[in-house]
Amino acid sequence: MTSIARTPAPNPRGPDPQPPRNTRGVAGVLALRGVDAADIRAILRRAAAYADAAPGADTTHPALRRRPVANLFFEDSTRTRLSFSIAAARLGAAPLDLHAAGSSVSKGETLIDTARTVEAMGVAAMIVRHRCAGAAAAVASRVACPVINAGDGRHEHPTQGLLDALTFAQAHGREDGFDFSGLTVAIVGDALHSRVARSDAAAFTALGARVVLAGPPALAPPALARALGCESTHDLDEALGAADAVQMLRIQFERLADTGAIAGPEAYARAWQLTPERAARMKRAAIVMHPGPMNRGVEIHPDVADGPSSRVLRQVDNGVPVRMATLAMCAEAAADHA
Ligand code: CP
């Protein structure tokens, strides 16, 4: 995806100046924006099946058994990297971790040279996290194996969008068809810098939900909401009252430094923190999500993060089956194109 196993359409103006090196046409999973609802539902169905597998069931996959799968993480991660490793292992693959700090990246090797070096070792797939938007797509254009975007700058984090959609479906009994018609999701906080907000907006709108971006004008601008097919509000109580799920976004202090977009953590917390009092005004069946890592006491109160409506750890748990489904379907697509 930008799509699983989609052969790129021929360029009507003639060959591209630098044709992609992915000669099998396996683009991996680079983004959710623009992906058909049917394709998103297919991954979610597979993920739900892996999530429901009996403990100890054989979930190994013939296209991945004993094949290396490389985690290329050029930016820190806890959830995504570990869950991709667990997912690869449950499929019978051998997860490999490249840490930028301990690799030849520190000697100046480029992202593309690093990826092509890893590819030459025969990996079945690459998972790429990088601080630059477009990094995973750049790698995908220069290697023949599937590439999965594990978060690129403020662009997208597609497997996070998928695991959030699975979590929402489980909470609201929508696993049959993954049709979210009639339901509303509020994405609250720093949408501007958030790749999670972009992937969530793509997934939830594709599946039929109404999505509302809520935050201060500098962090949830109406133009961004329109571009993502969402509504926007700067009124937290209005957003919470209508929501069947709220996704609280992390305030990204590392990206906000010196921008003046927020006055400071205390002022932000006063205006935008999901407190127990605010959470109590949500619909009875509404759930609270957060992609993590959380700034406890800033965007979310600890009692809400750990409370009965919280699905934060369920989101983490769902990361493994979603990433199993993604890896398995990419491997099948690559085998079809071989
Ligand atoms: N949600 C998320 O991407 O978390 P990590 O940065 O820990 O992978």
Side-chain angles (χ1 to χ4, degrees):
M1 291 184 198
T2 308
S3 72
I4 279 190
R6 182 144 305 158
T7 302
N11 183 342
R13 293 172 307 218
D16 291 325
Q18 185 180 8
R21 292 287 297 275
N22 191 337
T23 51
R24 286 182 287 181
V26 179
V29 179
L30 301 175
L32 295 180
R33 184 169 165 77
V35 175
D36 291 345
D39 287 348
I40 294 175
R41 290 189 172 112
I43 304 181
L44 292 174
R45 275 197 301 275
R46 180 79 73 96
Y50 281 130
D52 291 343
D58 180 3
T59 52
T60 60
H61 193 290
L64 286 164
R65 215 169 284 143
R66 291 188 289 279
R67 301 273 320 272
V69 167
N71 279 330
L72 271 55
F73 277 61
F74 298 87
E75 195 185 70
D76 292 343
S77 167
T78 296
R79 283 147 282 269
T80 311
R81 182 165 56 201
L82 287 178
S83 60
F84 266 115
S85 293
I86 295 167
R90 287 192 185 163
L91 292 164
L96 296 177
D97 266 339
L98 179 129
H99 299 275
S103 74
S104 289
V105 170
S106 64
K107 301 174 200 164
E109 190 160 47
T110 66
L111 169 66
I112 300 300
D113 280 340
T114 302
R116 295 185 67 197
T117 299
V118 172
E119 181 189 28
M121 297 177 194
V123 299
M126 272 178 217
I127 297 123
V128 177
R129 170 171 286 194
H130 200 282
R131 65 183 168 77
C132 295
V139 170
S141 72
R142 299 298 300 274
V143 300
C145 67
V147 174
I148 300 172
N149 179 9
D152 59 334
R154 63 166 83 170
H155 172 229
E156 279 226 28
H157 190 352
T159 55
Q160 180 74 46
L162 293 167
L163 73 88
D164 292 335
L166 178 60
T167 305
F168 184 67
Q170 290 166 338
H172 289 287
R174 300 290 177 107
E175 283 181 282
D176 273 354
F178 293 100
D179 180 347
F180 297 163
S181 302
L183 298 176
T184 296
V185 177
I187 301 175
V188 175
D190 182 8
L192 185 66
H193 297 95
S194 174
R195 55 198 176 206
V196 173
R198 287 164 175 78
S199 290
D200 278 355
F204 285 113
T205 57
L207 299 177
R210 171 177 172 250
V211 179
V212 179
L213 299 191
L219 300 182
L224 174 66
R226 282 194 297 276
L228 299 179
C230 306
E231 299 169 34
S232 62
T233 179
H234 308 308
D235 181 333
L236 178 56
D237 289 328
E238 177 192 317
L240 294 177
D244 297 288
V246 57
Q247 169 85 312
M248 298 305 298
L249 298 174
R250 182 172 72 90
I251 284 294
Q252 303 194 29
F253 292 112
E254 71 276 20
R255 296 188 216 270
L256 281 170
D258 304 326
T259 64
I262 60 172
E266 296 82 10
Y268 182 82
R270 273 194 301 279
W272 290 98
Q273 183 185 111
L274 185 56
T275 60
E277 296 73 28
R278 286 174 173 145
R281 294 198 289 269
M282 293 175 65
K283 293 181 188 174
R284 195 181 51 80
I287 61 166
V288 174
M289 302 196 291
H290 192 304
M294 292 185 280
N295 294 307
R296 284 174 179 264
V298 182
E299 69 266 3
I300 189 165
H301 190 285
D303 291 348
V304 177
D306 302 327
S309 299
S310 173
R311 294 294 180 279
V312 172
L313 293 179
R314 174 56 75 97
Q315 289 170 273
V316 174
D317 191 34
N318 280 335
V320 174
V322 159
R323 286 161 180 140
M324 288 174 76
T326 307
L327 280 168
M329 294 174 81
C330 283
E332 288 160 13
D336 286 349
H337 281 70

